[in-house]
Amino acid sequence: MNKDLDPRVIPARARDTITAWVGADHPRAYDLQTLATELVTNAIRYGLGTMPAARWVRMRLEPEAGFLRLVVVDPGHANTFPRLRQPVNDPGPDDEDAAIESGRGLRIVHEITDGSWGHYYNTRNERVVWALVSSR
């Protein structure tokens, strides 16, 4: 695996970027860091796939009146959309990590944002996932 896209390293960089953008003392810093972790991890896991030429994820923070919109963009795959699911902790017999979980990330995003998140494909057919939080 390309260490630059290691799903353990990139989310930490995303959290550091959020801290650099808003400061550690911002009232929503922790929530924004958590959102960045979940959305960037999903972008790596589901948005990059096997496209060797398209190995990137972009993140930005957009201020709006009383809100902050975190946006994560990835190359996407046609006909795939982020969706809420029931969390699963059902490792197979050959799984090395018996604590493997799936399905919690977007539930966390949904809770932090009070349901104010969504997704779309832009004109370049890139997947855009956004999450909106109060700036206070």
Side-chain angles (χ1 to χ4, degrees):
M1 171 181 277
N2 179 341
K3 80 175 195 171
D4 290 336
L5 288 171
D6 185 327
R8 297 164 297 194
V9 174
I10 297 299
R13 285 189 196 163
R15 288 188 300 273
D16 291 346
T17 299
I18 291 294
T19 302
W21 287 345
V22 301
D25 294 333
H26 189 280
R28 299 304 298 265
Y30 181 76
D31 288 340
L32 289 164
Q33 291 168 343
T34 302
L35 291 171
T37 297
E38 297 301 336
L39 296 182
V40 167
T41 298
N42 282 354
I44 293 168
R45 184 172 292 146
Y46 302 111
L48 300 184
T50 59
M51 299 182 297
R55 305 295 290 173
W56 55 266
V57 172
R58 292 188 309 261
M59 181 178 78
R60 65 183 183 268
L61 191 61
E62 302 170 345
E64 296 184 13
F67 294 92
L68 294 169
R69 181 182 302 267
L70 181 64
V71 179
V72 175
V73 182
D74 66 61
H77 294 288
N79 301 320
T80 62
F81 301 96
R83 63 183 172 84
L84 288 177
R85 341 180 259 166
Q86 284 299 102
V88 175
N89 186 353
D90 189 17
D94 296 328
D95 289 334
E96 294 178 20
D97 184 356
I100 290 174
E101 292 184 343
S102 177
R104 297 198 190 284
L106 287 179
R107 291 237 172 244
I108 291 168
V109 170
H110 192 78
E111 289 297 317
I112 290 172
T113 65
D114 293 324
S116 295
W117 68 277
H119 56 85
Y120 61 91
Y121 278 86
N122 66 18
T123 58
R124 289 176 281 200
N125 208 30
E126 300 163 339
R127 181 182 15 241
V128 179
V129 182
W130 57 270
L132 191 67
V133 295
S134 166
S135 57
R136 298 247 167 238

